[in-house]
Amino acid sequence: MNTPAAPSVLFVCVHNAGRSQMAAAFLSHLAAGRVQVFSAGSAPADTINPAVVEAMREVGIDLSAESPKVLTSEAVQASDVVITMGCGDACPVFPGKRYLEWTLDDPAGKGAEAVRPVRDEIEQRVRGLLTELGVEVRA
């Protein structure tokens, strides 16, 4: 009996320095290897927002070794679900892919205090996505 391949999810925002990084980290953490997770930006920043790193550290997820990555057509084609977070027309669209737009406040230039509500909303959305994908959330 063949085991179905793990679903793959790509999170995309403009700078890949905040929202998409948090979403990818939550999905990786909660899915515990049962989902392939990627993130990218249409115009990646040089580094991840330090307030995002701090806010994620507060919930036990370390983003300090991550770096923003550039969005490629190959990454989109390799993904089953593409979740955009304000990248507008910069995100390539391919037939047969499932696209979701998550409207979230951009944490760019804000401190950890402003990032926390965005982080918490992303976690809830990722949990909902895992339920939709039929993937059990790690306890």
Side-chain angles (χ1 to χ4, degrees):
M1 191 160 114
N2 287 343
T3 304
S8 57
V9 177
L10 170 65
F11 294 100
V12 183
C13 64
V14 176
H15 300 298
N16 191 222
R19 295 166 291 184
S20 56
Q21 289 281 350
M22 288 190 284
F26 272 125
L27 186 55
S28 293
H29 177 75
L30 294 169
R34 293 184 299 272
V35 176
Q36 295 177 23
V37 184
F38 308 97
S39 72
S42 54
D46 293 330
T47 59
I48 293 186
N49 178 340
V52 166
V53 174
E54 179 184 339
M56 291 300 284
R57 187 177 292 127
E58 292 171 1
V59 294
I61 297 175
D62 183 8
L63 288 180
S64 62
E66 297 296 326
S67 61
K69 294 167 273 313
V70 69
L71 176 64
T72 64
S73 295
E74 293 78 19
V76 176
Q77 288 178 304
S79 300
D80 298 314
V81 180
V82 179
I83 298 175
T84 58
M85 303 172 180
C87 69
D89 296 336
C91 297
V93 175
F94 293 98
K97 301 291 171 200
R98 179 172 173 212
Y99 289 88
L100 300 171
E101 171 69 30
W102 287 2
T103 304
L104 299 157
D105 290 338
D106 187 350
K110 298 178 180 155
E113 199 62 38
V115 172
R116 286 183 194 110
V118 178
R119 173 201 66 199
D120 295 345
E121 183 175 348
I122 288 171
E123 180 181 7
Q124 291 311 308
R125 288 182 185 218
V126 166
R127 287 178 179 278
L129 176 67
L130 283 166
T131 300
E132 285 178 38
L133 294 173
V135 176
E136 188 178 321
V137 174
R138 173 165 72 178

